[in-house]
Amino acid sequence: MQKGGQKYIIKEDPDIFCIQETKCQEGEIPKEVEISGYHRYWSYAEEKGYAGTGLYTKTKPINVSYGIGIKKHDKEGRTITAEFEKFYVVTTYIPNAGKGLKRLEYRKGWDKDFREYLKNLDAKKPLIWCGDLNVAHQEIDLKNPKTNKKTAGFSKEEREGFTEHLEAGFVDSYRHLNPEKTGEWSFWTYMMNARGKNIGWRLDYFVLSKRLLENLCDSCIRTQVYGSDHAPVVLLMHI
C-alpha cells in the first residue's frame, strides 16, 4: 500500500479485491490499508510474519469464513471465503512447494483437500476462486519452462494438481480467453532485473465454476502496475 497500492485500487475501483501474503497478525493491520467504501476481512497465520490473506468488498457478504476446516492448513491463514447471493468468492495464497521441493508432499495434500472444499462449495452455488496459486500450469505460463521442471511452481506434481482442479468443474478464466497467449506474466523475481527483461511466471489466477462462463467478460493482468513482485490480475463479470 505504501508503493501506490491505494491509488491503484481507487483508480481500478473494484467491487471486490483480494490480497495475499499479508504477513500481519490480528491487531497489526496498518491504518493505511483502510479504504473508504469497503468491508474488510483478514485471515492470519499463527506464525508471525507469515502468509495471510485479505478480502475487501463493497457489498457486505451473507457470510464470511476462514480456512477450509482442516487445522493443519488453516493455521497458515491462507483462505477466505465470502458468500454472496449468487456466488462465492474464495481467495487463497496457495502453499509454495519450497526450495528443492521440500514441501511438495504437503502441497500435494493441500491440493487434494482444497479441491474437495471447492467441490463442496460449488455444489451449493457457483464460485470465483482467485489469488496467488503458486503454479504455472502450462509451459506457456512461464518464460523458461525447460530449466524449471524441478522448480517450485512448475513441478509435474503441482501442474497435475491444478489440472485436477480444472477437471473437477472449474475453468482458468485467463486461459479460456487466451488459449495460446504467452509472454504476459503476473510474477517476476526481484533478482537479475527479471521484470525489466520480462522473465516471469503466470502464478495469479481467477478460476471459475464452469456455469459462470456465460457471465465472463474479461480476465487480464495489469502488467504496468508496479509496487510488488506480482502484478494485479483483474476479472470482469456480468452477474
Side-chain angles (χ1 to χ4, degrees):
M1 288 294 186
Q2 294 176 342
K3 298 180 180 179
Q6 273 218 22
K7 290 182 180 179
Y8 163 70
I9 292 164
I10 291 168
K11 182 178 180 181
E12 190 77 64
D13 193 29
D15 294 302
I16 302 168
F17 73 92
C18 304
I19 53 178
Q20 297 80 42
E21 201 173 5
T22 56
K23 297 184 178 181
C24 290
Q25 305 301 114
E26 189 169 4
E28 294 182 352
I29 302 297
K31 294 288 288 184
E32 304 93 87
V33 304
E34 294 183 7
I35 300 175
S36 178
Y38 288 94
H39 303 275
R40 301 179 297 276
Y41 305 91
W42 305 97
S43 185
Y44 311 101
E46 290 181 4
E47 181 180 339
K48 188 175 178 63
Y50 184 68
T53 45
L55 185 148
Y56 290 60
T57 172
K58 291 181 178 179
T59 301
K60 188 173 182 179
I62 296 169
N63 183 60
V64 176
S65 59
Y66 304 91
I68 63 174
I70 299 175
K71 174 65 175 175
K72 67 179 180 180
H73 301 318
D74 295 348
K75 67 181 183 179
E76 297 187 354
R78 293 185 178 275
T79 306
I80 302 175
T81 302
E83 180 183 0
F84 298 92
E85 181 184 355
K86 295 181 179 180
F87 57 91
Y88 292 99
V89 171
V90 183
T91 186
T92 56
Y93 175 41
I94 299 294
N96 191 300
K99 187 175 181 179
L101 302 178
K102 62 183 179 182
R103 219 181 177 206
L104 181 59
E105 288 305 311
Y106 174 75
R107 168 64 181 268
K108 289 164 61 179
W110 161 278
D111 281 346
K112 180 176 180 293
D113 293 337
F114 187 71
R115 185 159 52 250
E116 289 304 309
Y117 177 74
L118 291 181
K119 288 166 63 177
N120 289 335
L121 285 180
D122 187 57
K124 300 172 188 175
K125 62 178 71 173
L127 63 86
I128 298 168
W129 168 34
C130 68
D132 177 355
L133 306 192
N134 263 321
V135 64
H137 184 216
Q138 302 177 35
E139 291 198 351
I140 57 174
D141 289 321
L142 73 166
K143 176 67 174 179
N144 295 315
K146 292 182 179 179
T147 56
N148 282 292
K149 299 287 188 181
K150 296 183 179 180
T151 301
F154 196 61
S155 68
K156 176 175 176 287
E157 293 85 353
E158 291 165 295
R159 296 169 65 198
E160 288 177 348
F162 192 74
T163 295
E164 290 181 32
H165 293 331
L166 301 183
E167 290 174 346
F170 304 102
V171 180
D172 172 356
S173 62
Y174 178 91
R175 191 53 68 205
H176 176 78
L177 296 173
N178 305 282
E180 297 181 3
K181 189 172 184 177
T182 190
E184 189 170 53
W185 322 120
S186 68
F187 167 81
W188 305 259
T189 178
Y190 282 127
M191 298 183 290
M192 298 179 290
N193 191 31
R195 192 159 189 174
K197 299 175 183 176
N198 199 30
I199 300 172
W201 302 53
R202 188 172 73 93
L203 300 179
D204 303 86
Y205 296 72
F206 280 99
V207 176
L208 313 177
S209 297
K210 282 186 177 179
R211 58 194 186 278
L212 285 179
L213 280 178
E214 64 184 22
N215 306 103
L216 174 62
C217 298
D218 201 1
S219 184
C220 51
I221 306 172
R222 300 292 195 225
T223 56
Q224 298 307 309
V225 176
Y226 289 75
S228 169
D229 51 358
H230 289 257
V233 295
V234 175
L235 178 73
L236 301 178
M237 301 285 287
H238 180 71
I239 297 179

